[in-house]
């Protein structure tokens, strides 16, 4: 009780005088505020904390039921039925809904999970007034095959943000999203391909779209993203054991400024009709179309990015895109000036020059080096020797201006070899950035690098110390990066 009073600014003193106004015994300053403002304040608390305020006084008994924000986790309730009953009673009390934000997380790891209970419950939410709506399904231990929450969307006049995870959308009877700016559709099942396109096209001010589509009844998905207002688009391919076919993607977004491809790539057709003049592209996918010729897959994807100026590529994507660099010339990115790339140089040291050669006008390069386990020290020496023999493509000798090593220098010191490599081969290099762990290098090695930077005319040579942080995970715990948005 006392803790709740302090949190809400309640005073237990007999009286307080402020100017000519006195607060009598048993009252407090915050309770003098109008009820709409009190409900707004309660909206910043969790639903549990808001309910606790009902014991403060008779005036506070029902205030929590008028909060404009409701966030619930089904795992906090004894069962799904208890959670659904609570939502029904909450919505029934409000009548003409004051609710502006609704978030529901459904936990499927409980013993008696019944997702069918939530469809009529969600149907009672007044979507005409809601500004932010989110339904999240959580499964950490159970299989997720065909576990999706049914949902019907209709007229959402005030909706600004829509985030759905493992939801099955029913057929649209009438759909209007005039204010929607943010839409996350993660592992969402649509009644048809046309329904996905309709949801996007009926959002005239949509700016941010993140989407991954499930296909349960059909064997393929045809995704058409047509939006005159879209600025950021993330497309995630579903995981390997969910794929029942292959998809096609078409993007027509003249204001698109950022495009991210992540997860698993299994599109037979990928086409961009329009996007902004300057676009940042981030490719972090694992390719899955092994039945089709690899060269055809690469050409189909890469030809859409020939005019991109800023690109980020992960190692698993890079390795596939340049898998034919020994046989045929790699794809060209003539307009690319900024590249951020992850590479395993021990696995393929000659890949770096091949990548750089395909970017003849590159100015800014950021490298993240990952190491593969080598069989012996002789392998390490052999790979280092191979790296020292490759030359920087002639086109980059007069264009490359800055290089940044984002990964810290390791004991193998491959980053130092790269630093010397770029200083030696690029005549226009102005900036070089290295990151060092504590005690990684001897002072004499660092001094030699500084002298080399001066000898090769670098105007900016930075060495950034990296402070080691303690491992937050228990011993033996293997951390895996989340594939969620």
């Amino acid at each position: 009780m006392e803790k709740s009073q302090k949190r809400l600014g309640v005073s237990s003193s007999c009286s307080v005088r402020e100017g000519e106004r006195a607060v009598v015994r048993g009252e407090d300053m915050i309770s003098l505020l109008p009820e709409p403002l009190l409900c707004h304040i309660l909206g910043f608390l969790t639903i549990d904390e808001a309910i606790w305020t009902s014991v403060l006084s008779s005036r506070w008994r029902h205030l929590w039921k008028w909060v404009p924000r409701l966030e619930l986790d089904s795992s906090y309730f004894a069962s799904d039925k208890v959670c659904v009953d609570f939502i029904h009673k909450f919505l029934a009390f409000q009548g003409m809904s004051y609710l502006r934000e609704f978030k529901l997380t459904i936990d499927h790891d409980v013993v008696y999970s019944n997702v069918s209970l939530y469809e009529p419950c969600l149907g009672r939410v007044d979507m005409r007034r809601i500004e932010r709506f989110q339904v999240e399904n959580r499964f950490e231990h159970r299989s997720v095959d065909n576990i999706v929450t049914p949902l019907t969307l209709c007229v959402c006049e005030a909706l600004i943000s829509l985030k759905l995870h493992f939801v099955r959308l029913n057929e649209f009877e009438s759909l209007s999203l005039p204010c929607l700016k943010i839409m996350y559709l993660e592992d969402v099942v649509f009644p048809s391909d046309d329904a996905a396109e309709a949801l996007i096209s009926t959002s005239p001010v949509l700016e941010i779209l993140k989407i991954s589509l499930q296909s349960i009844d059909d064997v393929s998905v045809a995704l058409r993203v047509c939006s005159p207002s879209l600025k950021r688009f993330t497309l995630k391919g579903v995981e390997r054991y969910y794929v029942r076919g292959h998809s096609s993607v078409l993007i027509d977004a003249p204001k698109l400024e950022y495009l991210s491809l992540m997860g698993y790539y299994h599109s037979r057709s990928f086409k961009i009709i329009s996007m902004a003049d300057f676009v940042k592209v981030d490719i972090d996918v694992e390719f899955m179309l092994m039945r089709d010729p690899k060269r055809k897959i690469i050409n189909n994807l890469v030809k859409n990015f020939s005019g991109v100026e800023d690109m980020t590529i992960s190692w698993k994507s890079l390795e596939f895109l340049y898998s034919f660099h020994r046989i045929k010339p790699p794809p060209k990115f003539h307009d690319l000036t900024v590249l951020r790339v992850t590479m395993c140089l021990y696995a393929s040291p000659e890949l770096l020059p091949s990548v750089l050669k395909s970017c003849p006008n590159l100015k800014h390069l950021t490298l993240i080096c990952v190491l593969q386990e080598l069989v012996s020290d002789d392998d390490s020496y052999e790979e280092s020797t191979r790296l020292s023999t490759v030359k920087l493509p002639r086109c980059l000798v007069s264009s490359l201006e800055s290089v940044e090593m984002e990964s810290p220098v390791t004991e193998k010191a491959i980053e130092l070899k790269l630093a010397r490599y770029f200083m030696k081969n690029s005549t226009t290099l102005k900036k070089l950035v290295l990151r060092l762990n504590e005690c990684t290098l001897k002072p004499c090695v660092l001094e030699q690098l500084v002298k080399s930077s001066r000898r090769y005319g670098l105007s900016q040579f930075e060495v950034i110390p990296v402070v080691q942080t303690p491992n937050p995970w228990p011993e033996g715990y293997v951390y895996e990066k989340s594939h969620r948005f």
Side-chain angles (χ1 to χ4, degrees):
M1 176 72 174
E2 181 181 355
K3 183 177 179 181
S4 298
Q5 287 179 331
K6 289 181 179 180
R7 185 181 182 98
L8 293 167
V10 177
S11 172
S12 60
S13 60
C14 294
S15 65
V16 178
R17 182 168 296 278
E18 182 181 355
E20 298 297 324
R21 187 175 183 178
V23 180
V24 298
R25 182 185 182 87
E27 290 187 337
D28 55 84
M29 293 299 294
I30 199 170
S31 290
L32 296 176
L33 297 173
E35 289 190 356
L37 184 54
L38 291 177
C39 292
H40 178 75
I41 294 172
L42 290 180
F44 292 98
L45 306 179
T46 66
I47 191 64
D48 290 342
E49 293 170 332
I51 293 175
W52 291 341
T53 64
S54 63
V55 302
L56 295 177
S57 69
S58 58
R59 189 191 179 200
W60 288 86
R61 185 170 300 166
H62 298 294
L63 277 179
W64 66 270
K65 298 179 182 179
W66 299 99
V67 294
R69 176 176 173 268
L70 181 62
E71 181 174 345
L72 297 175
D73 190 321
S74 68
S75 64
Y76 295 166
F77 296 84
S79 66
D80 287 323
K81 186 178 185 306
V82 175
C83 178
V84 168
D85 288 344
F86 177 86
I87 298 174
H88 278 304
K89 291 177 181 178
F90 181 90
L91 297 176
F93 183 89
Q94 286 202 355
M96 289 294 291
S97 180
Y98 288 87
L99 203 60
R100 296 295 177 267
E101 296 185 31
F102 180 87
K103 179 181 178 181
L104 174 62
T105 300
I106 304 173
D107 186 5
H108 295 272
D109 289 327
V110 296
V111 179
Y112 300 106
S113 176
N114 188 354
V115 71
S116 63
L117 294 174
Y118 290 96
E119 183 175 11
C121 169
L122 295 174
R124 291 196 59 188
V125 178
D126 189 353
M127 297 298 291
R128 293 172 300 176
R129 299 174 180 268
I130 288 286
E131 295 177 359
R132 291 172 175 82
F133 184 83
Q134 181 171 349
V135 176
E136 175 93 7
N137 286 275
R138 181 175 62 231
F139 355 62
E140 296 179 0
H141 307 292
R142 292 185 60 183
S143 171
V144 298
D145 269 346
N146 298 328
I147 301 180
V148 288
T149 304
L151 177 67
T152 300
L153 290 178
C154 53
V155 178
C156 308
E157 297 174 352
L159 192 63
I160 298 174
S161 174
L162 175 66
K163 298 182 180 181
L164 305 176
H165 173 237
F166 264 96
V167 167
R168 181 197 292 271
L169 290 177
N170 299 324
E171 289 284 356
F172 307 136
E173 294 182 1
S174 60
L175 185 63
S176 176
L177 304 166
C179 299
L180 190 67
K181 292 186 176 181
I182 301 172
M183 181 158 53
Y184 291 5
L185 305 174
E186 186 171 6
D187 299 313
V188 169
V189 179
F190 281 89
S192 66
D193 294 340
D194 292 338
E197 183 179 358
L199 183 60
I200 298 171
S201 60
T202 53
S203 308
V205 296
L206 183 65
E207 295 183 356
I208 302 174
L209 174 63
K210 296 184 178 182
I211 187 169
S212 66
L213 301 181
Q214 283 278 14
S215 176
I216 292 180
D217 300 324
D218 300 324
V219 296
S220 63
V221 174
L223 176 63
R224 292 173 58 90
V225 179
C226 302
S227 172
S229 58
L230 189 64
K231 295 181 179 179
R232 299 178 65 87
F233 176 42
T234 298
L235 176 62
K236 186 190 81 169
V238 296
E239 295 187 22
R240 189 181 300 275
Y241 44 86
Y242 292 127
V243 175
R244 292 169 169 81
H246 302 296
S247 63
S248 62
V249 179
L250 184 144
I251 301 173
D252 185 3
K255 292 185 179 180
L256 189 66
E257 299 172 348
Y258 174 80
L259 173 62
S260 173
L261 304 179
M262 58 183 294
Y264 297 87
Y265 184 86
H266 44 82
S267 297
R268 292 188 185 278
S269 173
F270 188 96
K271 185 176 182 179
I272 298 178
I273 295 179
S274 67
M275 55 184 178
D277 293 335
F278 182 82
V279 182
K280 291 184 178 181
V281 175
D282 189 341
I283 304 176
D284 183 15
V285 294
E286 183 174 339
F287 293 87
M288 298 182 62
L289 283 177
M290 295 300 101
R291 294 181 181 179
D292 288 1
K294 291 184 179 181
R295 191 72 183 176
K296 181 180 178 181
I297 302 171
I298 295 173
N299 290 337
N300 180 263
L301 177 65
V302 170
K303 67 182 181 182
N304 293 279
F305 306 133
S306 58
V308 170
E309 297 180 25
D310 190 324
M311 185 180 295
T312 300
I313 309 180
S314 69
W315 166 241
K316 59 186 177 184
S317 301
L318 185 78
E319 190 176 26
F320 187 90
L321 291 176
Y322 286 83
S323 56
F324 295 95
H325 71 279
R326 295 185 181 91
I327 303 173
K328 294 183 179 180
K332 291 284 187 180
F333 301 98
H334 293 280
D335 296 329
L336 193 67
T337 58
V338 180
L339 176 63
R340 186 175 184 268
V341 62
T342 303
M343 301 191 70
C344 181
L345 293 172
Y346 282 131
S348 184
E350 70 276 6
L351 185 59
L352 175 61
S354 180
V355 172
L356 297 178
K357 189 175 182 179
S358 66
C359 312
N361 297 302
L362 188 66
K363 293 184 178 181
H364 308 284
L365 173 65
T366 300
L367 271 173
I368 303 172
C369 296
V370 294
L371 298 177
Q372 286 185 344
E373 293 294 330
L374 297 171
V375 178
S376 65
D377 292 338
D378 292 337
D379 292 332
S380 175
Y381 175 78
E382 180 182 350
E383 300 299 343
S384 300
T385 304
R386 289 168 63 190
L387 177 64
S388 63
T389 60
V390 295
K391 300 297 182 182
L392 194 68
R394 182 175 300 178
C395 56
L396 288 183
V397 172
S398 57
S399 68
L400 193 61
E401 297 179 1
S402 71
V403 175
E404 180 173 352
M405 307 293 179
E406 196 165 297
S407 50
V409 175
T410 60
E411 294 181 359
K412 302 295 184 181
I414 187 69
E415 293 80 6
L416 298 183
K417 297 179 177 66
L418 283 172
R420 297 188 183 96
Y421 171 81
F422 285 110
M423 284 191 288
K424 179 180 179 181
N425 289 280
S426 179
T427 59
T428 57
L429 191 65
K430 300 177 182 178
K431 178 181 177 180
L432 181 63
V433 180
L434 290 177
R435 285 173 170 79
L436 298 180
N437 288 324
E438 294 180 0
C439 305
T440 302
L441 292 181
K442 297 179 180 179
C444 59
V445 176
L446 188 57
E447 290 176 4
Q448 292 176 2
L449 282 174
V450 173
K451 291 180 180 178
S452 298
S453 67
R454 293 172 180 170
R455 181 168 68 252
Y456 291 111
L458 265 67
S459 58
Q460 189 175 354
F461 177 60
E462 298 180 12
V463 178
I464 302 175
V466 177
V467 179
Q468 293 291 331
T469 56
N471 185 6
W473 308 106
E475 185 177 355
Y477 181 89
V478 178
Y479 172 76
E480 292 187 4
K481 181 182 177 182
S482 173
H483 293 287
R484 297 289 308 279
F485 289 145

